[in-house]
Amino acid sequence: MHTSHIYLQVQKALNHYIENGQFTFTVALSGGVDSVVLLQIMHGLKEQWPQLNLSAIYVNHGLSDNAHHWQQFCQARCEQLSIDFKAAHVIIKQQSRTSIEAQAREARYQALDEYSPNDSIILLGQHLNDQVETFLLRLKRGSGLKGLGAMQQTRVLESGRECYRPLLAVKRSEIEAFAQQFNISHITDESNANERFDRNFLRQQIVPKLAERFTGFEQCTARSIELLQQQQALLDEYTQQDLAQCLNQYQALNIQNMAHYSAIRIANLLRAWLALFTHTMPSQKQLMQIMSQAIHAQADAQMVIELSGGQIRRHQGYLYFVQPRPLAVNIERVTSHELVLNDGKILQCLQGVGVRAPKSDEQVSVRFNCNSARIKPLKKPGSNTLKHWFKDAKVAPWLRADIPLIFYNDELVQVVGYFISDNHKDDTGFIWEYKS
Ligand SMILES: Nc1ncnc2c1ncn2[C@@H]1O[C@H](COP(=O)(O)OP(=O)(O)OP(=O)(O)O)[C@@H](O)[C@H]1O
């Protein structure tokens, strides 16, 4: 076993972890030939790397009548090899929009993340043929560079934990031959034969024909995928540079800085910018709308583009992505020097240049969204409404409702972060600020 090609491939693939002192691995064990062979190889590698800390996890989706049987099979296999085993049960809530397979996959990755030991790398059994099939499925959907790049060898889960696919360069036939040679039993999922599923159709009907006609078809496709992934990585680097050029500290995009870019470069930048806030990307039509309205329209035109998860708005030469937030709640009768607002931010009252202390008959309150309240700000020519002063200070309209306003009875004495009342100014008074 130790000299077989596939064993050496896995050993080579994991070397960089071992060299960096990472010895803890969890095999995502489905009972299928790929992950069972992977488990066996990892068990073999333990002789060579005694520090290896191995475990295995089976995710029971409860979708097949056989799920329990598969779980028992995985458990028994691990007991034979003295490998720690865990079964995680997940409940798939049927949602209409996504396929049951996609939901099961998502739930599976979540469970693998949640139930695997904290410091372990999760090992997955996907191989070269899975990769080729994924590529062809994406081709059929009309994917671009990123989609055709198919599966990465490493996948980072929501928590930051790594999944790794050490068999990605190994052909299915080799894995099956290995299982046969070393008499490794495994489960066969009958649904894999059903050609109603596109992947099975490609596996059974298409890839064998292509491989018969074109020698080395799978390896050549894998080579193309590798090149596509490299080109995507390169593009990502350039995209990061563009973002750095155009983003301000509020994650708003400077329109002028990107206006001289080509249309495809702007579209790429917009997608990368939106990905900072939302998983749902705009359609091609929405993207064109953003480009024509946001970038090329009159500078002073009001603009709101609704996307799922938020709105794109333009203000003072910048594009903002505005997400729905809970309405700020007033706090009447302030008695403390530290307040927790309903969005979780903390306001504190410090001593210094600010407004005088309230008199005994003055009630302090924090209010929001009082555009018609009047104030004469320090160093401003006269008294006017808050709406006027916000405009004067170029505060984006959607940010105004979140700015805390300090009142003494019904008199506005401070607009936090912006103005203090000239009439209440005191060099040894009080000033309200956000606690960082
Ligand atoms: N029920 C399961 N429990 C634990 N691990 C699993 C389970 N099902 C699949 N895996 C892991 O995922 C690998 C890929 O399996 P499979 O190709 O069936 O999954 P998929 O997620 O639908 O595929 P893909 O991610 O390629 O679209 C397996 O080799 C195994 O490591």
Side-chain angles (χ1 to χ4, degrees):
M1 182 167 87
H2 293 85
T3 54
S4 71
H5 173 246
I6 167 169
Y7 181 91
L8 296 171
Q9 282 278 108
V10 174
Q11 182 189 31
K12 195 169 141 211
L14 293 181
N15 225 354
H16 71 279
Y17 285 115
I18 302 301
E19 279 173 6
N20 288 312
Q22 170 70 45
F23 293 105
T24 308
F25 297 93
T26 302
V27 176
L29 190 59
S30 64
V33 64
D34 321 323
S35 54
V36 170
V37 162
L38 182 58
L39 185 82
Q40 190 73 40
I41 292 175
M42 290 307 292
H43 180 254
L45 281 171
K46 202 167 159 52
E47 282 174 27
Q48 192 182 338
W49 294 321
Q51 312 94 309
L52 270 195
N53 189 358
L54 269 189
S55 61
I57 178 166
Y58 171 78
V59 182
N60 189 336
H61 307 102
L63 291 173
S64 161
D65 295 339
N66 294 325
H68 193 64
H69 166 62
W70 294 340
Q71 178 178 324
Q72 280 177 337
F73 172 86
C74 291
Q75 180 161 5
R77 191 80 203 115
C78 286
E79 276 167 11
Q80 282 164 8
L81 299 174
S82 304
I83 292 174
D84 278 351
F85 173 81
K86 196 180 269 179
H89 290 255
V90 296
I91 296 168
I92 314 285
K93 286 188 226 97
Q94 184 77 52
Q95 293 158 10
S96 53
R97 285 216 158 196
T98 30
S99 73
I100 192 87
E101 290 85 21
Q103 288 172 52
R105 189 179 305 125
E106 188 166 325
R108 176 159 74 244
Y109 280 111
Q110 262 178 26
L112 289 173
D113 199 4
E114 194 172 332
Y115 296 104
S116 300
N118 279 339
D119 51 351
S120 78
I121 304 288
I122 297 171
L123 299 179
L124 300 163
Q126 282 110 340
H127 48 67
L128 182 60
N129 291 74
D130 287 327
Q131 183 72 315
V132 172
E133 290 155 14
T134 303
F135 173 83
L136 291 173
L137 287 169
R138 304 267 172 94
L139 188 65
K140 165 203 85 124
R141 281 206 321 237
S143 299
L145 180 57
K146 194 170 196 143
L148 292 176
M151 284 181 274
Q152 300 276 343
Q153 188 144 40
T154 301
R155 173 178 171 155
V156 179
L157 301 179
E158 204 109 303
S159 71
R161 178 210 291 278
E162 262 182 47
C163 288
Y164 191 72
R165 299 174 165 121
L167 296 175
L168 210 50
V170 179
K171 280 166 70 168
R172 174 183 289 120
S173 54
E174 236 186 300
I175 296 174
E176 285 169 350
F178 184 93
Q180 210 166 22
Q181 187 185 351
F182 297 102
N183 220 356
I184 300 169
S185 57
H186 58 85
I187 281 163
T188 308
D189 182 351
E190 329 72 62
S191 73
N192 281 345
N194 188 343
E195 290 186 14
R196 203 165 52 83
F197 298 111
D198 292 338
R199 186 180 282 277
N200 297 343
F201 169 72
L202 289 171
R203 179 180 305 161
Q204 245 108 255
Q205 299 289 339
I206 305 302
V207 179
K209 280 208 178 71
L210 290 168
E212 197 184 314
R213 169 88 192 196
F214 306 114
T215 313
F217 174 77
E218 287 108 320
Q219 286 89 344
C220 287
T221 310
R223 175 79 189 126
S224 290
I225 292 171
E226 203 183 312
L227 291 171
L228 294 174
Q229 289 186 359
Q230 283 173 14
Q231 282 150 14
Q232 179 65 48
L234 180 65
L235 178 61
D236 287 345
E237 275 189 38
Y238 282 121
T239 307
Q240 286 311 312
Q241 284 182 11
D242 281 359
L243 268 178
Q245 280 294 314
C246 298
L247 271 190
N248 72 3
Q249 76 263 43
Y250 305 111
Q251 295 198 304
L253 273 185
N254 185 319
I255 296 171
Q256 204 186 350
N257 284 7
M258 63 177 167
H260 67 279
Y261 292 172
S262 68
I264 44 172
R265 189 166 163 189
I266 295 176
N268 178 59
L269 175 58
L270 285 170
R271 276 196 221 96
W273 174 63
L274 288 169
L276 298 174
F277 313 102
T278 170
H279 288 305
T280 328
M281 280 298 108
S283 64
Q284 198 60 24
K285 196 171 149 204
Q286 283 171 318
L287 209 56
M288 299 310 288
Q289 190 195 3
I290 300 168
M291 287 171 63
S292 68
Q293 288 191 25
I295 299 168
H296 303 302
Q298 289 290 314
D300 56 354
Q302 285 285 331
M303 187 210 80
V304 180
I305 296 174
E306 298 281 349
L307 297 178
S308 83
Q311 299 173 326
I312 297 183
R313 304 184 67 148
R314 195 170 70 167
H315 181 70
Q316 299 291 330
Y318 280 86
L319 290 185
Y320 289 81
F321 190 77
V322 182
Q323 288 164 298
R325 286 164 304 202
L327 219 57
V329 176
N330 292 349
I331 303 175
E332 302 292 347
R333 294 181 175 281
V334 171
T335 50
S336 151
H337 279 204
E338 202 163 286
L339 300 173
V340 182
L341 304 179
N342 73 314
D343 63 359
K345 290 194 187 126
I346 297 174
L347 264 192
Q348 59 183 351
C349 183
L350 304 173
Q351 274 190 314
V353 180
V355 293
R356 63 160 173 77
K359 295 179 186 155
S360 59
D361 62 346
E362 284 176 331
Q363 179 67 56
V364 182
S365 62
V366 183
R367 300 180 198 169
F368 297 89
N369 216 1
C370 309
N371 276 343
S372 54
R374 295 183 76 85
I375 185 168
K376 180 193 175 308
L378 191 66
K379 298 188 186 140
K380 293 283 178 187
S383 167
N384 213 323
T385 60
L386 201 48
K387 186 174 175 185
H388 170 89
W389 294 122
F390 275 150
K391 228 171 161 177
D392 186 63
K394 299 184 174 31
V395 181
W398 58 91
L399 295 178
R400 296 176 191 173
D402 290 338
I403 297 172
L405 312 169
I406 310 295
F407 281 81
Y408 287 175
N409 292 338
D410 284 326
E411 248 183 321
L412 178 57
V413 299
Q414 189 194 338
V415 179
V416 175
Y418 291 92
F419 316 111
I420 56 171
S421 157
D422 202 4
N423 299 335
H424 297 77
K425 190 202 172 231
D426 184 351
D427 285 346
T428 53
F430 297 93
I431 183 102
W432 288 87
E433 284 176 3
Y434 278 112
K435 193 170 178 178
S436 48

